[in-house]
Amino acid sequence: MKRRNVLVAMAAAPLGAMLPLTSFAQKPIVLGFAQVGAESEWRTANTESIKSSAKEAGIDLKFSDAQQKQENQIKAIRSYIAQKVDVIAFSPVVETGWETVLVEAKNAKIPVVLTDRAISSKDETLYVTFIGSDFTEEGRKAGRWLVEKEKGNAGPINIVELQGTVGSAPAIDRKKGFEEIIKADPKFKIIRSQTGDFTRAKGKEVMEAFLKAEGKKINVLYAHNDDMAIGAIQAIEEAGMKPGKDIIIISVDGVKGAFEAMMAGKLNVSVECSPLLGPQLMSVVKDIKAGKSVPKRIVTQESIFPMEVAAKEFPNRKY
Ligand code: GZL
């Protein structure tokens, strides 16, 4: 275009068109998230919370599902480093084995946020903050509910336990918190304890084995999540026993499936573990990019839902 025309064209253009675009349209923050998998209702709700919150926050989310395999999560974190994302966040499937890849992220000057589950590394400089529940307290809440429930019963009270994924923070800490409370009274005995890997299918399979081995000796099931408890309920019914009556069932998460089981009288209590971590994660990611300081630990506030309140609480449930 001739010089005159260019000048005329610029004069007519709206002011914004004359400044470099970057001064108006801030480049979106790029967040790489390495999710555990899709093993439970809790995880599905957690993924939904992260994706919808990223969209709402205008954050460009790169998301991966590791099918509960640590090597897949490590691969995803390495790909985010290679893509030079602004922030990396992940829910460590197990507590150990993260130092090498997190040192790579640190050397690449990419801040890391832990959500949902913790790591057991001594080097706290490998991550900015950990946003998630206090799993030990969740285990204590389960134990306290049982102690209260059985206070008039001389015992013995035989408990079978479906543990979460071996080596994961929730499995380790929910066991620890529960045992801390019940060890005060010798009438409580954990007679069988095995992992159901947080899934319904495995929870059912292991409960079938418990029933075959111990049958009517079982008084209580403590499941580290609702999905395993729901699988176990099927096994208990197929064995001709009444879940929630012949066997008292305590679980954790507070997902919709647990409320349905409680309203049907088949589950006695679910300790809440909120998966709705998306909003907190996005606000922390923005704070980190803005250079603000962020607390090392952000604990999600949670409750406990016995079957007696399930019907009233159910309409309020968001996951
Ligand atoms: C807890 C989360 C656990 C849930 C399970 O924060 O890591 O993993 O309790 C899920 O349902 O599979």
Side-chain angles (χ1 to χ4, degrees):
M1 275 170 90
K2 283 208 187 56
R3 182 175 155 67
R4 198 177 71 79
N5 293 353
V6 168
L7 283 177
V8 168
M10 280 183 72
L15 183 61
M18 294 165 71
L19 297 171
L21 269 184
T22 45
S23 57
F24 277 85
Q26 285 296 333
K27 208 166 69 64
I29 296 171
V30 181
L31 168 66
F33 191 89
Q35 181 60 293
V36 165
E39 73 282 359
S40 61
E41 269 188 68
W42 190 98
R43 189 65 55 197
T44 306
N46 179 246
T47 290
E48 174 45 38
S49 173
I50 286 155
K51 289 183 172 175
S52 57
S53 304
K55 204 161 166 194
E56 211 146 290
I59 285 174
D60 177 2
L61 178 70
K62 297 187 179 310
F63 184 89
S64 67
D65 169 338
Q67 287 96 41
Q68 285 194 281
K69 290 184 175 53
Q70 180 172 33
E71 64 268 22
N72 291 345
Q73 280 193 300
I74 290 171
K75 258 190 227 134
I77 292 169
R78 287 204 164 108
S79 83
Y80 297 145
I81 294 170
Q83 296 172 59
K84 297 186 171 38
V85 300
D86 295 302
V87 181
I88 291 171
F90 75 114
S91 166
V93 62
V94 291
E95 287 192 341
T96 55
W98 302 101
E99 279 78 5
T100 306
V101 73
L102 293 183
V103 165
E104 291 168 23
K106 187 176 173 184
N107 293 342
K109 300 200 180 352
I110 300 177
V112 172
V113 174
L114 303 183
T115 72
D116 164 26
R117 297 183 185 179
I119 62 173
S120 61
S121 166
K122 304 244 179 324
D123 181 358
E124 292 207 335
T125 67
L126 293 176
Y127 61 91
V128 175
T129 183
F130 163 43
I131 306 169
S133 308
D134 178 344
F135 301 130
T136 309
E137 183 54 22
E138 290 171 353
R140 291 192 196 101
K141 285 179 186 172
R144 287 186 205 114
W145 180 88
L146 183 61
V147 166
E148 179 57 25
K149 166 92 182 158
E150 299 294 357
K151 66 176 184 265
N153 179 345
I157 295 168
N158 296 319
I159 303 163
V160 293
E161 180 182 31
L162 285 171
Q163 296 182 34
T165 300
V166 176
S168 70
I172 293 166
D173 293 348
R174 284 173 186 165
K175 182 171 187 51
K176 187 168 71 179
F178 183 72
E179 289 176 348
E180 188 187 298
I181 299 297
I182 65 165
K183 69 170 190 271
D185 188 332
K187 72 183 181 183
F188 294 113
K189 282 186 182 46
I190 296 180
I191 57 173
R192 296 263 168 170
S193 180
Q194 195 178 323
T195 184
D197 212 17
F198 283 133
T199 68
R200 290 192 184 197
K202 200 91 175 84
K204 181 178 182 199
E205 189 189 307
V206 174
M207 190 66 201
E208 282 163 353
F210 287 165
L211 287 161
K212 219 175 249 124
E214 304 291 352
K216 299 214 180 322
K217 265 180 63 188
I218 301 171
N219 306 115
V220 177
L221 162 64
Y222 171 46
H224 290 184
N225 85 327
D226 295 331
D227 285 69
M228 293 190 292
I230 291 164
I233 285 168
Q234 288 166 8
I236 293 165
E237 289 180 316
E238 285 168 13
M241 294 168 80
K242 289 192 183 62
K245 295 174 186 61
D246 300 333
I247 296 179
I248 297 295
I249 305 179
I250 307 167
S251 74
V252 186
D253 278 350
V255 296
K256 283 203 173 81
F259 277 81
E260 285 153 358
M262 286 193 279
M263 291 188 285
K266 299 180 179 178
L267 173 65
N268 298 85
V269 59
S270 183
V271 176
E272 186 182 27
C273 173
S274 175
L276 307 180
L277 305 176
Q280 281 176 308
L281 173 58
M282 299 313 148
S283 121
V284 158
V285 165
K286 287 189 168 178
D287 284 350
I288 290 170
K289 283 310 288 172
K292 291 182 187 160
S293 73
V294 168
K296 199 68 190 173
R297 178 76 174 90
I298 301 170
V299 184
T300 32
Q301 300 312 314
E302 296 162 343
S303 182
I304 178 168
F305 301 107
M307 67 162 54
E308 297 74 18
V309 306
K312 187 163 144 285
E313 173 64 23
F314 188 60
N316 310 327
R317 303 304 296 160
K318 297 193 184 70
Y319 65 91

